[in-house]
């Protein structure tokens, strides 16, 4: 297995084209690296690259997080605007831009879910897109907005909503119902377990995705991409549901 080799992303549907990360240094004319000139050490103007390319990673979901951390701290030090306080103004500007890009890239890549969502966006799909467009469509047609319930949760969500409705109604008239609160709490716990399990499932898709980056067809990649999208949408649905439950429960202690 050749895990260390760097691969050019094969996808053609990205928003950001991973262009040239190296070109000629503005100061000394040598070939430079992405952030600094390798010859004279001057900070370079940022080039529009995706976050994976920024760190020199292939567009894969399993990343070397220790390496990410190391690179981040080293670049943070080198790009720190204080270092450029005496430099000419365009260098100050570039160090600020590079620092801010660095922070965004690091924050996005270190988080498993953000990293996956970002990759999906590079691949041309947004996680919230479905519900967003559904919302807009509902607004335009005057329909009541209805979130699409993931099929595997239909029954659970139905029961839970009934119970929440009941609890709200009872609270309104000042009645106490510890048994119902306990039952809702139990269901909430199940949802939270599902929420965590989905992250594990997502990591399984990462492995499939990463293999396909090197050797898969566009069609294969699209399939995995859609599975990840579906999973993250389901996960967001559960998150919102748990938030609703918490809102109702918080007022009932
Ligand atoms: Zn240089």
């Amino acid at each position: 297995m050749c895990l260390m080799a760097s691969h050019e992303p094969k996808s053609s549907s990205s928003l950001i084209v991973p262009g040239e990360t190296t070109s000629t240094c503005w100061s000394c004319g040598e070939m430079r690296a992405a952030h600094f000139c390798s010859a004279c050490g001057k900070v370079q103007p940022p080039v529009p690259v995706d976050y994976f390319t920024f760190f020199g990673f292939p567009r894969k979901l399993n990343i070397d997080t220790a390496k990410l951390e190391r690179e981040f701290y080293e670049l943070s030090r080198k790009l720190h605007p204080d270092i450029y306080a005496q430099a000419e103004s365009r260098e100050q500007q570039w160090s600020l831009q590079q620092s801010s890009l660095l922070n965004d890239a690091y924050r996005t890549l270190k988080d498993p879910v953000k990293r996956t969502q970002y990759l999906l966006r590079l691949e041309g799909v947004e996680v919230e897109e479905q519900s967003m467009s559904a919302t807009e469509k509902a607004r335009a047609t005057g329909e009541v907005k209805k979130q699409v319930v993931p099929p595997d949760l239909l029954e659970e969500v139905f029961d839970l909503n009934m119970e929440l409705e009941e609890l709200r109604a009872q609270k309104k008239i000042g009645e106490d119902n510890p048994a119902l609160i306990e039952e809702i709490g139990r269901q909430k716990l199940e949802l939270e377990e599902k929420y965590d399990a989905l992250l594990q499932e997502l990591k399984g898709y990462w492995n499939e995705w990463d293999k396909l980056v090197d050797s898969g067809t566009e069609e294969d990649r699209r399939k995995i991409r859609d599975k990840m999208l579906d999973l993250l949408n389901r996960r967001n649905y559960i998150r919102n549901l748990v938030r609703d439950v918490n809102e109702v429960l918080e007022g009932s202690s």
Side-chain angles (χ1 to χ4, degrees), residues 134-135 137-139 141-147:
T135 307
K137 195 180 159 199
R139 230 176 253 146
T141 57
E143 287 169 50
V144 180
K145 190 211 157 192
K146 241 184 151 182
Q147 230 185 332

Side-chain angles (χ1 to χ4, degrees), residues 18-33:
E20 292 272 296
T21 53
T22 57
S23 60
T24 312
C25 172
W26 61 271
S27 179
C28 73
E30 289 294 309
M31 289 304 287
R32 66 173 175 87

